[in-house]
Amino acid sequence: MRQTKVFFRLLIFAIIAVLFAECNNQEIKKISQERPYAIKVKSERSFFQALKIRDRLHDMDFQAYLVEEDDTANGGKWYHVVCEALGDTVALTKQLQRYDSVLQIETLEPVELSRIHQARIGRDSIRVEEKQRIKAQKPDVPTKVYDVIQKFPESNALFLRQMYVVNSPDSVWQKEHSVSMNSFKLDLPRGITRSLMLEKTTAFSEAIYEDNLYGDLVTLDIAKLRKKYKIINRAGYSLAEAPQYAVADFYAEKILSTGNYITEKKEKLKIDSYTTLRGYKVMIEPEKGYLRTYLVLVDDAMQYLFFSQSTDKTIDELTKILANAGKSNGLINYDEFYNMFYTMPAQMVDGDVFLGFAINKVQPSYAHNRGNARWAREIVGHWDGTAYFSSKTAGLWIYGLFDLLTNRKQDYIYNDLYAGAPAKNKIRIELGGVAAFVLKDTKIDWDTYKTYTKVSEINFGVMRYVCTINNTTLSWLTQTEMEQRAVALQIMIPPEPEDELEKPAV
């Protein structure tokens, strides 16, 4: 089944050239009153994400264009990537069959102009309120974290569905708060635990990429090793071989030792990337006919460890992705990452230490789990983020945010939908020139059996973001201390002139 899918994809460009060659020099026909039907390929909240998909389809010789839909009553604004402009349902059905056979994309569906709310058709007609990148300085995060996130490969065919970065603790007081990483739903290979990663690395990051057309997922973990390994001469290993294989072998054996599998294979692998990556392709068969393959690789300097896996991509496809590792600014070149990570302070308050950061693209299940409330439907398709910090005096605290892409969308969701909703212990304040709410909880001191009030959260809307500063069960920031951390965020500070800002590659 998988081989058939790959075979069809390999034929895509050849088939497209035959089917659509006659359209190459023609103006793209767009959906209209005269031609009210089209084929929707994908939908995105972000104009710039949709633009990537449109451009990718152009490269494949498809006559793709964008349609903006603003359904204020049911889910808000979406950018649809569509193809064709057809006059009747017979032609629509025929073309849909052709596209389905060529593209093999599950998200294909017919659309009709009359059913698109407040449609704006084509890039020239769309009002782009979203800024591709915010203006920001480099956040006050350890260099080792940047070393890791900049090793990730970049591709316009992929976006970040989920991403985690961890600053492995270096001191006793930081280790006390490493429990915060338990909330990270890491997809590490079998046998590779988060405690092992914290022990063996100074920083590590995991990105789950999603193919922006096909939906295939690729998981890639990159770690900066804490120290160089001493290579010992074990049975079956020759010191005449590259020592990187011995380092990779340690982790490959961790995978194989997780059980007795029907199939267990470990094959050497070498990939030419920013340097040569050497290691193993590890294959296990947990169930009859179900194979899991992991790539375990180490760079020439034995500074970085790579894990990669995918249930959809072939080994050749994974190899091509890894061949681009370390050749750009990595995750910083992904707008969805940059626009959240670079909101953090350019200078931490009171020596706070960055522990970890996560972003996730909000899935439809988010709205479903909240009773399909209107505000929840509006959130779907955007990115949410969580950052963890440790304070020597106040413990582990959290910064959370949603990137709603435009100021208008933030104002609508926060001020119109949230601020007006009644709630207990919700106190309105002004914070750095914006409206905010303080949430307090009543707690019991089990030593004295007396009740006391603890500030649990300060939330606010600013620019395109809805943000929160949260105490945890392991922190005791006062309201004043929480406000100090909120106003230190870069989105709360007027930007400096552009020539004084860091200019990451785009």
Side-chain angles (χ1 to χ4, degrees):
M1 186 72 174
R2 173 60 186 156
Q3 290 178 338
T4 302
K5 186 177 180 182
V6 173
F7 174 75
F8 273 111
R9 288 192 185 178
L10 292 175
L11 289 178
I12 283 176
F13 291 103
I15 296 173
I16 291 169
V18 174
L19 292 176
F20 302 101
E22 69 275 11
C23 299
N24 285 345
N25 297 319
Q26 298 178 9
E27 183 180 351
I28 295 177
K29 293 185 177 66
K30 300 181 179 68
I31 195 170
S32 65
Q33 295 295 336
E34 293 73 28
R35 294 173 172 265
Y37 301 100
I39 298 169
K40 185 175 75 174
V41 181
K42 296 283 283 190
S43 296
E44 291 289 340
R45 289 291 194 185
S46 167
F47 168 81
F48 296 102
Q49 293 290 339
L51 198 61
K52 282 185 180 181
I53 299 171
R54 188 211 66 173
D55 291 346
R56 184 179 177 187
L57 287 167
H58 281 181
D59 291 341
M60 297 164 68
D61 287 330
F62 280 96
Q63 302 266 309
Y65 55 97
L66 300 183
V67 175
E68 176 190 320
E69 179 175 22
D70 198 353
D71 185 1
T72 55
N74 187 28
K77 183 179 290 188
W78 289 91
Y79 295 99
H80 306 302
V81 185
V82 303
C83 296
E84 302 291 339
L86 304 161
D88 56 65
T89 56
V90 174
L92 175 66
T93 301
K94 184 178 179 180
Q95 281 294 75
L96 191 59
Q97 290 172 346
R98 294 177 70 188
Y99 274 74
D100 186 58
S101 65
V102 173
L103 278 176
Q104 301 274 304
I105 294 178
E106 296 179 358
T107 55
L108 290 177
E109 63 178 87
V111 292
E112 183 178 354
L113 181 60
S114 63
R115 296 181 179 273
I116 301 174
H117 298 263
Q118 300 182 35
R120 294 181 180 274
I121 302 162
R123 182 172 182 177
D124 293 339
S125 299
I126 292 174
R127 297 178 301 184
V128 183
E129 299 177 49
E130 174 189 355
K131 292 184 179 179
Q132 187 168 10
R133 292 206 155 196
I134 64 171
K135 295 178 181 180
Q137 297 178 354
K138 195 173 184 179
D140 187 8
V141 169
T143 300
K144 58 185 178 178
V145 172
Y146 288 103
D147 291 342
V148 169
I149 62 180
Q150 289 179 314
K151 287 293 183 290
F152 279 82
E154 182 186 359
S155 170
N156 281 333
L158 303 171
F159 69 77
L160 295 175
R161 176 163 177 169
Q162 184 172 292
M163 172 270 163
Y164 303 105
V165 60
V166 177
N167 174 21
S168 301
D170 290 327
S171 64
V172 174
W173 69 275
Q174 284 180 243
K175 288 178 182 179
E176 291 175 354
H177 302 314
S178 63
V179 67
S180 63
M181 301 304 103
N182 291 339
S183 63
F184 285 7
K185 298 178 181 178
L186 298 170
D187 189 24
L188 293 165
R190 297 182 184 210
I192 309 299
T193 64
R194 67 187 67 214
S195 60
L196 179 68
M197 296 298 286
L198 290 171
E199 175 191 348
K200 298 294 186 182
T201 74
T202 61
F204 68 91
S205 182
E206 177 176 286
I208 298 181
Y209 294 97
E210 182 172 332
D211 188 294
N212 59 19
L213 271 182
Y214 296 99
D216 295 351
L217 301 180
V218 175
T219 301
L220 178 58
D221 294 272
I222 302 178
K224 189 167 188 179
L225 295 169
R226 195 172 288 278
K227 61 180 179 180
K228 289 187 177 181
Y229 287 79
K230 292 182 179 180
I231 307 303
I232 58 175
N233 192 4
R234 291 179 293 176
Y237 174 75
S238 169
L239 285 177
E241 296 179 284
Q244 291 85 351
Y245 288 113
V247 178
D249 183 66
F250 170 82
Y251 297 94
E253 286 297 322
K254 289 283 186 183
I255 297 171
L256 292 173
S257 65
T258 54
N260 295 316
Y261 301 109
I262 301 169
T263 299
E264 294 185 0
K265 290 183 180 179
K266 184 177 68 176
E267 298 177 358
K268 282 186 178 177
L269 181 67
K270 184 170 71 171
I271 298 175
D272 291 326
S273 186
Y274 71 99
T275 183
T276 303
L277 304 179
R278 292 179 172 87
Y280 294 92
K281 178 174 64 175
V282 181
M283 292 163 284
I284 59 175
E285 188 177 5
E287 301 174 13
K288 184 68 175 178
Y290 175 66
L291 283 170
R292 292 288 294 161
T293 302
Y294 303 96
L295 305 187
V296 183
L297 300 155
V298 176
D299 74 334
D300 269 348
M302 291 191 288
Q303 285 187 302
Y304 294 94
L305 171 68
F306 295 76
F307 298 124
S308 186
Q309 58 178 303
S310 174
T311 56
D312 300 299
K313 299 290 188 186
T314 65
I315 298 302
D316 286 344
E317 288 172 318
L318 290 179
T319 299
K320 288 178 182 178
I321 291 171
L322 283 165
N324 288 319
K327 294 181 178 179
S328 70
N329 277 335
L331 298 180
I332 296 173
N333 280 5
Y334 286 83
D335 297 334
E336 59 268 34
F337 173 79
Y338 178 92
N339 287 327
M340 302 193 80
F341 194 79
Y342 273 63
T343 64
M344 292 192 296
Q347 183 174 354
M348 293 295 173
V349 175
D350 294 336
D352 285 349
V353 174
F354 169 84
L355 293 179
F357 187 80
I359 69 169
N360 296 274
K361 191 174 186 183
V362 181
Q363 301 301 305
S365 57
Y366 177 88
H368 177 75
N369 293 337
R370 290 156 180 80
N372 282 315
R374 182 172 171 180
W375 66 267
R377 294 197 305 271
E378 293 269 5
I379 294 289
V380 172
H382 294 93
W383 275 270
D384 75 332
T386 308
Y388 293 83
F389 300 91
S390 185
S391 164
K392 282 187 177 181
T393 58
L396 172 70
W397 63 275
I398 295 174
Y399 161 49
L401 73 163
F402 284 104
D403 181 0
L404 301 177
L405 300 175
T406 68
N407 294 24
R408 185 165 68 94
K409 184 68 173 286
Q410 177 272 120
D411 182 62
Y412 169 67
I413 289 182
Y414 186 77
N415 291 321
D416 292 354
L417 299 184
Y418 173 78
K424 294 181 179 180
N425 300 322
K426 180 177 167 185
I427 304 167
R428 189 183 183 101
I429 63 169
E430 183 176 310
L431 179 67
V434 302
F437 288 93
V438 177
L439 277 60
K440 297 184 178 181
D441 291 334
T442 300
K443 302 287 185 180
I444 298 177
D445 184 335
W446 293 106
D447 291 329
T448 63
Y449 294 98
K450 294 182 178 179
T451 61
Y452 66 96
T453 300
K454 178 180 179 179
V455 178
S456 60
E457 175 183 306
I458 292 180
N459 62 62
F460 52 96
V462 58
M463 293 172 53
R464 57 198 272 176
Y465 303 96
V466 172
C467 306
T468 65
I469 303 294
N470 298 84
N471 267 316
T472 68
T473 56
L474 300 175
S475 64
W476 45 94
L477 291 172
T478 65
Q479 180 174 328
T480 298
E481 289 171 330
M482 294 174 80
E483 290 179 12
Q484 289 173 340
R485 283 153 177 80
V487 297
L489 297 170
Q490 295 198 61
I491 48 179
M492 297 289 281
I493 301 171
E496 297 179 11
E498 287 194 34
D499 58 355
E500 297 182 18
L501 297 176
E502 180 195 17
K503 293 182 174 62
V506 177

